[in-house]
Amino acid sequence: MSARGRCARVLPSDVNKVCPERGDEPATHPSKMSDFEVVPNLQQSSSSVSRSRRKAHFPAGSNEKENLISWIPENIRKKECTYFVESSQTSDSGRIVCECGYLREQHLDDAAKPPIFLGKEWDPSRHIQEMPTDAFGDIRFTGLGQKTGKYVRVSSDTPPRVIYHLMTQHWGLDPPNLLISVTGGAKNFVMKPRLKNIFRQGLVKVAQTTGAWIITGGSHAGVMKQVGEAVRDFMLSCSHKEGDIVTIGIATWGTVYNRESLVCPMGGFPAEYVLDEENQGSLSCLDSNHSHFILVDDGTHGRYGVEIPLRTRLEKFISEQTKVKGGVAIKIPIVCVVLEGGPGTLDTIYNAITHGTPCVIVEGSGITIALIQSKLSVLFQDTYELFTESKLVEWTKKVSPSQPPLRSKRRLPRGIFSLGDALFSHVHAASRNQDHFGRENWDHQLKLAVAWNRVDIARSEIFTDDHDWKPSDLHPVMAAALISNKPEFVKLFLEQGVRLKDFVTWDTLVYLYDNLAPSCLFHSKLQKVLLEEREHTAGSKVPRLQMHHVSQVLRELLGCSTQPLYPKPKQAERPRLSIPVPHIKLNVQGSSLRSLYKRSPGRVTFTMDPVRDLLIWAVVQNRRELAEIIWAQSQDCMAAALACSKILKELAKEEEDTDTTDDMLALAEEYEHKAIGVFTDCYRKDEERAQKLLTRVSEAWGKTTCLQLALEAKNMNFVSHGGVQAFLTKVWWGKLSVDNGLWRVITCMLFFPLLYTNLITFSREKRLQPPMGCLARLRAFFTAPIVIFLMNTLSYFTFLLLFAYVLMVDFQPAPSWREYLIYFWLFSLVCEETRQLLYDPDGLGIVKMASLYIKDFWNKLDICAILVFIAGLTCRLIPSTLYPGRIILSLAFIIFCLRLMHIFTVSRTLGPKIIIVKRMMKDVFFFLFLLAVWVVSFGVAKQAILIHNEERVEWLFRGVVYHSYLTIFGQIPSYIDGVNFNIDQCSPNGTDPYKPKCPETNGDNNTPIFPEWLTVILLCLYLLFTNILLLNLLIAMFNYTFQQVQEHTDQIWKFQRHDLIQEYHGRPPAPPPLILLSHLQLLLRRGLLRQPATQHKLKEKLEKNEEAALLSWEMYLKESYLQHQQCQEKQNTEQMIRDIAQRVDVLAELLDLDRVKRTGVVEQRLGSLEDQVHQSAQALRWMMQALRGNGFSSAEDVPPVALGTKELALEGRAEESQPPCHVLARNLLYPGSHILRFPVPDEKVPWEVDFPLYDPPAYSADHKDMAVQDPFSLSLESLLKINYNTMDGLIDRQSFHGLYAVQDGLPLNPMGRTGLRGRGRLHCFGPNHALHPVVTRWRRNLDGSIIRKSLKKMLEVLVAQYPLSDVWALPGGSLEPGETLPLKLKWILRREFWPQFQNLLKQGTEVHKGYLDDPRNTDNAWVETVAISVHSDTQHDLEMKRLNSFLQGCDPELCIRWQVLDKRIPLHANHKELLHKVSTLLGAYY
């Protein structure tokens, strides 16, 4: 082996020789830096690593690499042997080695000197010293796809916190959600393909979904190789978005082959490592599929297992850390996975289960369950040898409550269960046993399930009948599930009773928007708004996010028709209150939640519509599943769906990622279909109420309507719905019946007296209502939008006819009366356009209304026509420009005629064609750019070739553009070809203004001299590209546009129809020029009378009761729609195939499981039979030996003895264990004695369950100080004197639970077995009655105000600590026969206060009456108590003051105090249950 790197001999000048830098090969690192604080007691270099951010890689010469180079040698050490002592063993090559395993030349120079003070014996503690490490940096595996990882050589005594700091701060690893420690065989072994797939897929799936760290031995052999290959296969098949898997190899430095290539005192960036399995010998190579390596050095060579102590300490340290993610803080759990292995692996398993670490063992990989159970013999010692297999299983279940580590050991049957499920279930089981307060830590388990995204575990193991969850307890994990995009958990929490109205507060929304993903487009828009506000206020800091900033962005997305959803608060600082959960570690706007909880609950700010707020938050992040769950909870569902469609379409316009854009557009279309589906169901049920939903003003969505939202989002499918079109038709006809023919309307419009006939019917008359009056009929007819439209159309045609007549016939120098009429008519049109511009019923402002007015194409055309007309009128009134004025007016007439197309949009036939023309105009506009290139290029070349120095600009334009353009249509100039050249058609010198200049000619015969062949070729190419290529391209573009519009002709026409109907719905009834009368009336109302503007838009403000009933009806039909959708999905062929495949898989697993169970039963029976045969053979051998010894031997063969086998009764295991009836009554050690109970498993507690092995000890204490007590002996004659289930003298033996059973003179505990017979330390057999008063008062501040926590009032309870007791208890206890107050209560109160306290008990509230789970209970004696709540509600309660004054202590060791009521109070566990009931009764904090 080559020489070892000597750190002391490496000079700075030799660094590049030892470890050359490779600046062009950056190392790969994770892309994010955690906020983990610097580990205390670490030596910090002058250039310590930055804690605020994490780089993706460390390029050569960067500050991060320099920080690493300076930090690692100062904080991480290696070990070197400083004294060479010759060993009796030799190296593989036969050379002399030291006791440490290294050759002489691999030691330092000082190590070979004669020993003076070191002694002759080699001692690792004295002869191995630590010094700065010389191997760290990036490791690159050559020849294997250039895989790069991190590595460091550390001393075996390195503190775990230093290594953890290195991994999280310098290596850039995020703290894990789970730590998976994989152990097993280090030798290569062959796994069966199915077992290999289960192991690989399960392990990698868990690591990828939970963000776990996988820790292995790091070598390229055995189980470490299997893990590396599993990670490699996953990385090759996964996408980049799924992220990397952190695989950490902890190996022994002295056993790594080719480790000298890793030695680099200044760090290897990277260090080249060659994986050479052929020449490694007894050493091992590092696995190339691991991402990080920690090489543990103890100064020796070739000794395996050196890394195990450091690995154990590191894993324990990591498991004690707390990770905060998504607002939820969890302790990092750890699980051990065992695959193959030998005796060393058994030691690892034993250490794991001893320390409470769950251990998952993969069966079929070389470890038998018998070997594992042999390690458990330590817990049973000598008696373990007498156990059969069945008894071993039974006793393992018995002692499981007292030996929690045994519950962490499991096997993984081959091909049956998922390895991931096994890991999750075992970590959850371990978390229950690690609770600091003696009960299951439900919050911790739920946080783990959310962090791992395992909703199945939450449903099956957390949300059970064992624990009652309050909705407020789920608020923090609800926020975490929302932020981390876990829709299944959100759905689960909603099912568990979380009310969005209570969960979504103002501060909750701020917190959610603060935690938007930085890659989200909405997040960047919010940041832009904050930066603009900072620039506007000239501040130095970016303002913190408020909801009015969100509202500003949302209004940009929803359109100006909506009001701000979150108005800006008037006060400078609004009271803040965050999510009311004490265990969540969040920071909202710089203040912790715990400080916010202490504020008054009256200052909580709730939102108007919490479902809307969460829906918007989910939609702006394009979270499909989460938004769908929230939308299903919405009440105003149709408006919500249309608003989401609008938001998504607007975001898609600005999104740069094409995939995200497609997803947004698809989701927008999906929400449009949801709105259509709900509206369809509503329209089928009730047309009138469905149409009200279209025009109802939604306060939650910015005082807009569903119809307006659909129009803003351009949801053509929704607008073209039959119900929407029926509503628009109804609006179009006004109060007229839609059954009237158009010819009838035109006839009545021309001859209005016909209105009083039956020619026209009104909608009121169709509903059989009283007939309308004369004026009412006249007003209803002429205010109908269709009549207004027809009159305006007739007026406009009249205006055009009169205009044309004046231009062609009556255009005099002095305007005639007809011309003045045109001017007056135009003035009325100008007034109407001005009214439309200033009409602002929504209060948007003149600037916004002007921008909306200009956006309309027809308004632009109107403005253009009016301006051209005014310009022509100005020129016409000036005598010198009379003719130019007529020309301009003629152009204005053309524009006015184009305005007729707007009228034709009402036609189902012509309307779509006008849309086609408008879109084709856009095609022509872009086509002209291509055409201009060819026209100008050909025109300039032709002009330069034919004509010399043409100075006239107009003829230049003609030659370059005009003639070239006409050439496309066949008008080819004659002079371009010499054959048709005529000198008389041109001017030789260009002096004739009416003739073009002649081409270049020969002066003698006046023939052109330009190259005719060139001009002809240019002309042919020009015509080829323009006439054939470009014109056909234009035709193709027109055809595509036509086909595109033609496919959606009906939808487009129906969508455009709304604009025309809305325009004439709010237009004055009189046509121009009579419309001036309406304008004058409007001016008088608004200007002089100051009357508000009349709402002409299609909006309707409903009363609260009517709106609530309408929304309830809509919500009911939405539920019907969702159910129908679910049924359709189930009937889908693909879904049915998936369901059948899933059922087949489940059935196959059940069949395999049944086969394994039956195989296990057979194995158990055979094992029992073998044990019995062995014992019988031993007994027979002993008997024969005894007979022979007594002279009964015979030469004849002993006849065979038929041995009967005892039938093994196997108890069927229940799939779901029922919760125990009592727990404290089954504690292993009976209180106040050395008696051990017989272990009773949960399923064996009821008396109805057969338990043949049950043999509990008997114990009855002798109370010498008690006057009345039952005999402590269990003799039958003494027990027959006792009368059960009745009053036995002064002793009340009646149970609150009714009659109890009596067996052999002893009563049976109604709650089941306890593991102990007799009466224990209780006085009587059967029920021992007790009384527990719960005296409480409110906890108050010095000013008398009640203290609150988590929005609830806090209580103080009166507790006492009796002599010889370490815990506090309620002031009560057992009742003596004939007494009404317990003796312990009398110790506390003075005698004169006893009657008054009895009155207080009578006035109190009974909170419990019945069995009490007490450690003193036995099979034949138990405690039944009555708990009464005595509460003082006021501060000046006289009775409570008297109670305080009469409190006393007869015993100086008796302590009495008022204790703050909290679930962490050091009280008896059964008393805590009573306090919990009292706090629930009073609505107080617990």
Side-chain angles (χ1 to χ4, degrees), residues 677-737:
V678 175
F679 181 74
T680 301
D681 291 348
C682 294
Y683 189 73
R684 288 174 181 172
K685 291 290 183 181
D686 192 335
E687 296 182 5
E688 186 175 353
R689 298 179 77 179
Q691 291 175 356
K692 278 188 178 182
L693 290 173
L694 294 175
T695 58
R696 181 190 65 87
V697 176
S698 177
E699 296 289 340
W701 292 98
K703 297 183 179 180
T704 186
T705 64
C706 292
L707 184 59
Q708 188 63 33
L709 285 171
L711 293 168
E712 290 282 349
K714 296 183 179 180
N715 293 326
M716 293 187 181
N717 293 326
F718 182 85
V719 178
S720 61
H721 188 274
V724 179
Q725 291 301 308
F727 169 73
L728 293 178
T729 302
K730 182 180 177 181
V731 174
W732 180 242
W733 285 89
K735 296 182 180 180
L736 301 178
S737 175

Side-chain angles (χ1 to χ4, degrees), residues 863-919:
I863 294 174
C864 180
I866 292 172
L867 292 179
V868 173
F869 187 93
I870 293 175
L873 177 61
T874 303
C875 296
R876 186 256 181 277
L877 296 179
I878 300 175
S880 58
T881 58
L882 178 64
Y883 182 67
R886 189 175 71 178
I887 297 175
I888 298 175
L889 289 175
S890 301
L891 298 177
F893 179 81
I894 297 175
I895 302 176
F896 277 118
C897 288
L898 294 177
R899 186 64 171 79
L900 284 173
M901 290 190 298
H902 180 51
I903 298 175
F904 297 149
T905 56
V906 73
S907 172
R908 182 185 292 268
T909 305
L910 295 179
K913 303 302 185 290
I914 296 173
I915 297 171
I916 293 175
V917 172
K918 289 172 61 177
R919 296 195 179 184

Side-chain angles (χ1 to χ4, degrees), residues 1017-1126:
I1017 292 176
L1018 290 178
L1019 178 62
C1020 293
L1021 292 175
Y1022 174 67
L1023 293 177
L1024 174 66
F1025 281 97
T1026 54
N1027 276 19
I1028 299 177
L1029 181 63
L1030 293 184
L1031 288 181
N1032 282 280
L1033 175 63
L1034 180 62
I1035 294 172
M1037 293 171 62
F1038 285 167
N1039 183 57
Y1040 173 76
T1041 302
F1042 179 82
Q1043 294 294 335
Q1044 191 178 25
V1045 177
Q1046 191 68 22
E1047 292 177 359
H1048 307 89
T1049 299
D1050 190 63
Q1051 291 184 0
I1052 296 175
W1053 174 77
K1054 290 178 179 179
F1055 185 82
Q1056 299 286 352
R1057 179 171 174 249
H1058 169 270
D1059 296 336
L1060 184 67
I1061 293 176
Q1062 184 175 3
E1063 178 183 352
Y1064 285 96
H1065 177 71
R1067 195 182 183 99
L1074 300 179
I1075 198 173
L1076 288 174
L1077 299 177
S1078 300
H1079 294 161
L1080 182 60
Q1081 181 186 10
L1082 180 63
L1083 183 62
L1084 292 176
R1085 286 182 178 180
R1086 298 295 307 277
L1088 299 179
L1089 301 180
R1090 301 293 181 182
Q1091 294 181 359
T1094 306
Q1095 288 281 351
H1096 293 294
K1097 288 192 174 182
L1098 304 178
K1099 290 184 177 182
E1100 184 179 4
K1101 177 69 175 177
L1102 302 179
E1103 297 293 334
K1104 290 185 177 180
N1105 295 336
E1106 183 181 4
E1107 184 178 15
L1110 187 64
L1111 291 179
S1112 299
W1113 177 70
E1114 179 190 11
M1115 190 172 184
Y1116 167 75
L1117 292 178
K1118 177 204 66 178
E1119 298 294 337
S1120 175
Y1121 164 75
L1122 292 177
Q1123 292 178 2
H1124 180 68
Q1125 291 294 110
Q1126 292 178 358

Side-chain angles (χ1 to χ4, degrees), residues 1182-1197:
W1182 177 82
M1183 292 170 61
M1184 288 187 293
Q1185 290 176 357
L1187 291 173
R1188 287 195 187 101
N1190 293 328
F1192 290 96
S1193 61
S1194 175
E1196 298 180 357
D1197 294 334

Side-chain angles (χ1 to χ4, degrees), residues 1351-1401:
L1351 304 180
K1352 293 185 178 181
K1353 299 179 181 179
M1354 297 191 68
L1355 285 173
E1356 289 183 347
V1357 60
L1358 186 65
V1359 294
Q1361 188 177 27
Y1362 297 99
L1364 304 178
S1365 178
D1366 297 331
V1367 296
W1368 294 81
L1370 294 176
S1374 300
L1375 289 172
E1376 296 296 324
E1379 296 292 336
T1380 57
L1381 291 180
L1383 179 61
K1384 291 184 178 180
L1385 184 61
K1386 293 180 180 180
W1387 290 356
I1388 298 175
L1389 300 175
R1390 295 179 183 176
R1391 179 180 295 274
E1392 55 268 24
F1393 191 70
W1394 291 357
Q1396 299 180 19
F1397 191 79
Q1398 291 181 354
N1399 293 332
L1400 288 177
L1401 293 177

Side-chain angles (χ1 to χ4, degrees), residues 804-854:
Y805 177 80
V806 169
L807 287 176
M808 294 185 296
V809 179
D810 194 19
F811 197 82
Q812 305 297 333
S816 63
W817 66 272
R818 300 179 186 85
E819 192 171 350
Y820 278 118
L821 181 59
I822 292 176
Y823 300 159
F824 182 72
W825 211 309
L826 182 69
F827 177 72
S828 66
L829 294 177
V830 172
C831 291
E832 174 59 22
E833 296 299 325
T834 305
R835 184 197 67 83
Q836 295 180 14
L837 176 64
L838 300 179
Y839 180 65
D840 185 16
D842 297 327
L844 300 178
I846 185 63
V847 177
K848 192 66 178 178
M849 290 302 302
S851 63
L852 293 177
Y853 179 84
I854 295 298

Side-chain angles (χ1 to χ4, degrees), residues 175-426:
N177 292 323
L178 173 66
L179 191 65
I180 304 176
S181 178
V182 183
T183 186
K187 297 181 180 180
N188 289 322
F189 59 93
V190 179
M191 294 180 64
K192 294 183 179 180
R194 191 175 184 185
L195 183 61
K196 181 185 295 185
N197 292 334
I198 293 175
F199 174 74
R200 291 187 176 185
Q201 295 176 5
L203 181 67
V204 173
K205 180 182 178 182
V206 171
Q208 194 271 330
T209 55
T210 64
W213 286 0
I214 302 177
I215 296 182
T216 71
S219 60
H220 190 66
V223 66
M224 293 80 75
K225 183 178 180 181
Q226 295 290 341
V227 173
E229 291 178 352
V231 174
R232 178 201 61 193
D233 296 342
F234 170 78
M235 297 304 297
L236 292 176
S237 61
C238 73
S239 62
H240 176 70
K241 296 181 179 180
E242 290 182 284
D244 298 333
I245 295 179
V246 178
T247 313
I248 303 172
I250 302 180
T252 302
W253 170 263
T255 62
V256 175
Y257 179 70
N258 198 19
R259 62 181 176 272
E260 63 275 2
S261 60
L262 303 178
V263 175
C264 184
M266 299 304 294
F269 296 98
E272 302 289 343
Y273 183 82
V274 178
L275 197 154
D276 186 6
E277 292 185 275
E278 295 181 358
N279 302 320
Q280 66 182 5
S282 60
L283 303 179
S284 59
C285 294
L286 297 178
D287 185 69
S288 59
N289 297 308
H290 285 62
S291 59
H292 301 78
F293 295 94
I294 299 174
L295 308 177
V296 183
D297 183 16
D298 69 338
T300 63
H301 166 75
R303 299 180 183 179
Y304 286 92
V306 172
E307 80 284 354
I308 293 179
L310 178 61
R311 175 177 172 177
T312 303
R313 296 198 307 271
L314 179 61
E315 291 173 352
K316 183 179 179 181
F317 178 82
I318 296 175
S319 64
E320 294 172 351
Q321 304 304 307
T322 301
K323 179 177 181 180
V324 180
K325 182 179 181 181
V328 174
I330 61 171
K331 276 197 172 183
I332 300 174
I334 180 174
V335 62
C336 179
V337 179
V338 182
L339 184 70
E340 222 268 345
T345 305
L346 291 177
D347 291 334
T348 304
I349 297 172
Y350 178 72
N351 292 331
I353 64 177
T354 303
H355 291 88
T357 300
C359 186
V360 178
I361 303 167
V362 182
E363 183 190 1
S365 60
I367 295 181
T368 62
I369 194 64
L371 290 177
I372 297 174
Q373 288 178 340
S374 66
K375 280 296 177 182
L376 304 180
S377 62
V378 179
L379 300 172
F380 297 95
Q381 297 180 357
D382 298 337
T383 59
Y384 180 82
E385 297 179 357
L386 303 178
F387 286 173
T388 62
E389 182 72 12
S390 59
K391 291 189 66 177
L392 175 62
V393 174
E394 185 70 23
W395 275 93
T396 302
K397 291 181 60 179
K398 289 179 185 179
V399 301
S400 58
S402 61
Q403 299 290 342
L406 297 183
R407 304 183 66 180
S408 300
K409 179 185 66 59
R410 297 290 188 273
R411 301 163 59 214
L412 179 64
R414 291 170 290 178
I416 301 299
F417 301 110
S418 168
L419 178 61
D421 295 338
L423 293 176
F424 290 130
S425 61
H426 288 71

